[in-house]
Amino acid sequence: MNARRFTPLQRLLHWLMAICLLAMLFIGVGMVSTIMPKYLALVSIHKSLGIAILVLALVRLAVRLRYGAPSLPADLPVPMKLAAQLSHYAFYLLMIGMPLLGWGMLSAAAYPVVVFGSVQLPSILPQSDSLHALLWGAHFYLAFAFFALILLHVAAALFHALVRRDGVFEAMAPSREVSPAE
Amino acid sequence: MPPPRRAPAGSIFASLALIIAVIAGGAAAFAYTAGWFTPKRLTPDRLVDAFTPPGDAPPLGHRRNHAKGICFTGVFEANGAGSALSKARVFAQGQYPAVGRFNLGTPNPNASDATVLVRGMGLRIATPDGEEWRSAMIDPPFFPVSTPQAFYELLVASGSKDPTAMKAFAAAHPEFAAFGAWAKGAPWTGSYAEDRFNSLNSFIFVDSAGMEHAVRWSLLPAAQPVPISPEELAKRGPDTLEQEITDRVRGAPARWTMVVTVANPGDPTADPSKAWPADRRTVEVGTLIVQQIQPERDGPCRDINFDPTVLPSGMRTSDDPFPAARSAAYAKSYDRRTAEAQNYPRTAPEAKP
């Protein structure tokens, strides 16, 4: 890709998923720390939103493989370039992996997995206490890692936008205007 | 490639400060949502911790409450009458596989049967449409307290070394007196098969016309209850209930009639410590037939969380706050015990291939 910005579809997916992922992580830590009636509603949203994110992430991965990403500025220091590229791998792994871990965890616990009110999803793993414990741990700790990654991502985006002013932020910015430098 | 348009030094500091503020604010909001700034919040962790009295070791690998139990399998035979109240498949005439667990309301998996007043039954009925109805019932006719918060306080008070703790609790929760009175005079039986198990919590059944009915349900034993004193029960041994139900079911299946009670408008659906008047409409919806008993360690109930909010379509939770709290706490208990599997003798040595 030689363009300086992501395609409009990629930008749409990015910002839509940004909202979903933040909501997901906040709902996640909120629901596991309450016994109030809202617990049930939060868990229900968490499951449905998780499946929605899984679908969006797979679509996004296909779009990314088809359209690629704008190249980073030539003068960006190598460690920052490396961090940027690795963070993208981490994002895709987590966006696809977290819903699968959650789904697998519920399957291993023999809970029925019902999303969007009444859609029954098949069990993707056999019932197993050791698998459940493993997946639960992974889902729980990776959620905090995911949030930390998002914070780093936001910090880096703002650094590009406000300090380096190198066009990296604009590549994913939601605005339609073409940057004045073009 | 346009030349980079770096910000002047002064604005760089302002920008960095802004970035730090955004990140710190995000992290703080996350921590707040997780309850890290509100240690008083009643979390599933705190509720589950409260089942283990301070100073005692938790029953690793076991359910944190109702820790002692035995598995059963059988069928729920629906007579079709429940379809008037709920469109759930489980009420359409037919037989549906059931798995469950008789249990004692104690956090001690090795408790002697005669030391535990409250008995329970976990039940999961599956229907061919892939749906499940899970419930966990107990034998008192009403719950000791009105709210999950009060239940937590009851656990803390009863685990407290302070001799005035229970008195203070009872004073703050007048509804508890009724349970105390019941507990003093409650008849003991020598068999799970003679016990009545009650949902206590209210749920909403939705019929095929979309009409909603606030209900509670009970399993009424077919066996005639024979009262026995706890002293007499103690003489039969610490595990008499498990031995008795195993022997009994080996001889013939044990049965319970499932009765659904429908609330009148204005009945206290949100408060399981308040029984509904005895004249409320009841519907016999079917029979639970327990056909086999299995020890828990290798039994089919061992790894099931009898979460009372796992409901088929045609049923949902009501304004009763307990099912949500129970769901949260049961999940926590499940997460812990599955992570502690090495502490539970999960497979009998002779069962190994």
Side-chain angles (χ1 to χ4, degrees):
Chain A
M1 178 187 256
N2 295 317
R4 300 188 53 247
R5 303 188 70 191
F6 284 95
T7 61
L9 175 61
Q10 285 175 302
R11 281 179 277 141
L12 175 72
L13 282 168
H14 171 272
W15 290 102
L16 179 63
M17 289 192 73
I19 295 165
C20 291
L21 293 170
L22 279 175
M24 193 65 180
L25 288 163
F26 274 86
I27 289 170
V29 289
M31 74 187 194
V32 297
S33 63
T34 183
I35 63 153
M36 304 291 281
K38 68 186 172 199
Y39 168 81
L40 295 176
L42 291 174
V43 170
S44 166
I45 296 169
H46 192 80
K47 289 183 201 168
S48 301
L49 193 53
I51 292 301
I53 287 171
L54 176 62
V55 171
L56 285 172
L58 291 171
V59 169
R60 188 167 169 195
L61 180 63
V63 171
R64 172 69 180 261
L65 292 174
R66 169 74 181 78
Y67 294 106
S71 45
L72 291 164
D75 68 333
L76 195 66
V78 173
M80 282 180 76
K81 251 185 194 159
L82 193 66
Q85 283 156 354
L86 284 178
S87 78
H88 285 206
Y89 283 106
F91 266 111
Y92 277 98
L93 277 175
L94 287 167
M95 289 189 298
I96 294 167
M98 283 293 277
L100 289 175
L101 284 173
W103 187 356
M105 175 185 111
L106 295 176
S107 300
Y111 294 119
V113 186
V114 180
V115 293
F116 305 113
S118 60
V119 180
Q120 287 178 39
L121 296 183
S123 171
I124 55 172
L125 286 174
Q127 178 171 358
S128 158
D129 52 272
S130 53
L131 263 180
H132 174 265
L134 184 74
L135 298 175
W136 186 91
H139 193 77
F140 181 84
Y141 291 106
L142 284 175
F144 291 93
F146 202 165
F147 190 70
L149 180 66
I150 288 175
L151 288 182
L152 266 175
H153 181 74
V154 171
L158 290 174
F159 187 73
H160 283 290
L162 303 174
V163 179
R164 279 187 56 91
R165 301 185 182 178
D166 56 5
V168 168
F169 179 81
E170 286 70 20
M172 194 50 104
S175 67
R176 265 190 220 169
E177 299 100 63
V178 181
S179 74
E182 266 183 339
Chain B
M1 198 71 206
R5 293 156 292 129
R6 294 279 151 73
S11 103
I12 286 180
F13 283 115
S15 298
L16 289 177
L18 175 69
I19 292 171
I20 289 167
V22 167
I23 300 312
F30 198 65
Y32 173 79
T33 310
W36 296 350
F37 299 145
T38 42
K40 291 258 173 210
R41 188 190 294 180
L42 183 48
T43 63
D45 274 297
R46 288 182 68 213
L47 182 54
V48 169
D49 285 344
F51 282 103
T52 306
D56 287 11
L60 296 179
H62 291 269
R63 285 167 166 85
R64 287 301 191 264
N65 193 19
H66 295 265
K68 183 177 184 180
I70 189 165
C71 299
F72 68 78
T73 52
V75 293
F76 175 66
E77 205 170 68
N79 59 21
S83 300
L85 295 172
S86 166
K87 63 184 177 189
R89 174 71 191 269
V90 71
F91 292 130
Q93 198 168 13
Q95 283 200 341
Y96 308 101
V99 54
R101 184 173 176 271
F102 297 109
N103 58 69
L104 296 179
T106 168
N108 176 6
N110 304 311
S112 177
D113 292 349
T115 62
V116 185
L117 174 64
V118 172
R119 298 176 187 169
M121 178 200 279
L123 180 63
R124 181 184 80 178
I125 306 172
T127 46
D129 54 6
E131 296 205 296
E132 289 185 8
W133 179 16
R134 299 189 188 186
S135 71
M137 298 158 278
I138 52 176
D139 62 349
F142 44 82
F143 202 67
V145 290
S146 297
T147 63
Q149 178 71 36
F151 184 61
Y152 170 74
E153 289 162 19
L154 171 61
L155 291 176
V156 171
S158 58
S160 170
K161 302 257 189 299
D162 178 356
T164 63
M166 276 309 289
K167 207 173 251 176
F169 173 82
H173 299 278
E175 78 269 23
F176 185 63
F179 189 83
W182 172 82
K184 276 201 189 84
W188 292 64
T189 72
S191 174
Y192 281 124
E194 295 171 10
D195 292 333
R196 170 185 171 136
F197 298 101
N198 307 301
S199 74
L200 301 189
N201 295 133
S202 310
F203 293 81
I204 303 293
F205 280 8
V206 185
D207 66 27
S208 51
M211 287 283 291
E212 302 195 335
H213 313 270
V215 302
R216 291 171 177 168
W217 59 80
S218 296
L219 286 170
L220 275 53
Q224 181 66 34
V226 182
I228 181 177
S229 70
E231 295 75 27
E232 203 57 39
L233 189 64
K235 286 185 196 150
R236 297 186 185 178
D239 304 316
T240 172
L241 291 176
E242 298 190 355
Q243 285 153 8
E244 196 279 341
I245 195 72
T246 306
D247 293 343
R248 180 190 289 252
V249 172
R250 197 177 285 137
R255 291 162 185 270
W256 285 258
T257 303
M258 186 179 284
V259 176
V260 175
T261 304
V262 185
N264 276 6
D267 281 346
T269 54
D271 183 352
S273 74
K274 306 266 183 306
W276 295 341
D279 66 348
R280 293 297 179 256
R281 176 188 171 202
T282 57
V283 181
E284 286 188 11
V285 298
T287 307
L288 174 68
I289 306 168
V290 169
Q291 297 164 323
Q292 276 195 313
I293 301 290
Q294 297 95 350
E296 181 185 64
R297 55 162 48 179
D298 294 311
C301 72
R302 185 192 69 195
D303 294 339
I304 297 179
N305 171 356
F306 293 100
D307 178 337
T309 66
V310 174
L311 300 166
S313 48
M315 299 184 195
R316 61 175 179 80
T317 50
S318 69
D319 57 355
D320 188 329
F322 276 93
R326 292 171 64 193
S327 181
Y330 287 24
K332 178 54 64 184
S333 167
Y334 188 86
D335 296 341
R336 289 191 186 177
R337 68 192 176 91
T338 52
E340 299 157 354
Q342 72 278 7
N343 298 98
Y344 179 105
R346 293 205 149 215
T347 302
E350 64 271 28
K352 278 183 184 155

